[in-house]
Amino acid sequence: MSMSVLNCHHASAMEQLHKLAFDRPWSESDFQTFLTLPSYQAFGWLSSKHELIAFCLFNTVFPDVELCTICVNPKHQQQGFGGKLMLEALKKFEDFDSCFLEVSEINSRAIALYSKLGFKDVGIRKNYYKLPNGSFENATLMKLDLM
């Protein structure tokens, strides 16, 4: 399986996968908008049947890149798809200085993955995520030096 560059034609599949991964998923329209903007790039793993197994979306503002979201189909989690996808995708940004991301401070699986990939905790964003019940949780801000 090789990494594919995703485009607007993948927006529906991205929406469906995002719904499986997040309480407040982005819509197909959101993904179409992102993917029409020149600063956004998406990469994914597609099965031999063209099913989207995992994807990640980045926003680039040179000299930095931001991971906006990453999703792995629950049927394929804990098989290394997320980490492998991140490693392959980050190779596309070799001319950039750093990659930033925010992650819920209680999402220990994601934090462990990012830490394993070399991301370092560089701060907290208080009350960053609004939860379905109306309360908020903090985000951990993480950074990876790419150079």
Side-chain angles (χ1 to χ4, degrees), residues 14-66:
M14 292 168 77
E15 174 196 35
Q16 295 306 312
L17 195 52
H18 210 253
K19 281 181 183 178
L20 296 174
F22 294 98
D23 293 331
R24 298 177 68 106
W26 296 340
S27 69
E28 179 178 355
S29 176
D30 293 332
F31 286 110
Q32 287 175 341
T33 299
F34 293 137
L35 294 170
T36 60
L37 297 171
S39 66
Y40 283 83
Q41 296 180 44
F43 305 96
W45 294 125
L46 297 170
S47 73
S48 59
K49 297 177 183 177
H50 302 286
E51 172 195 15
L52 187 60
I53 293 172
F55 77 90
C56 53
L57 176 71
F58 294 91
N59 184 22
T60 58
V61 181
F62 193 81
D64 298 315
V65 61
E66 175 190 12

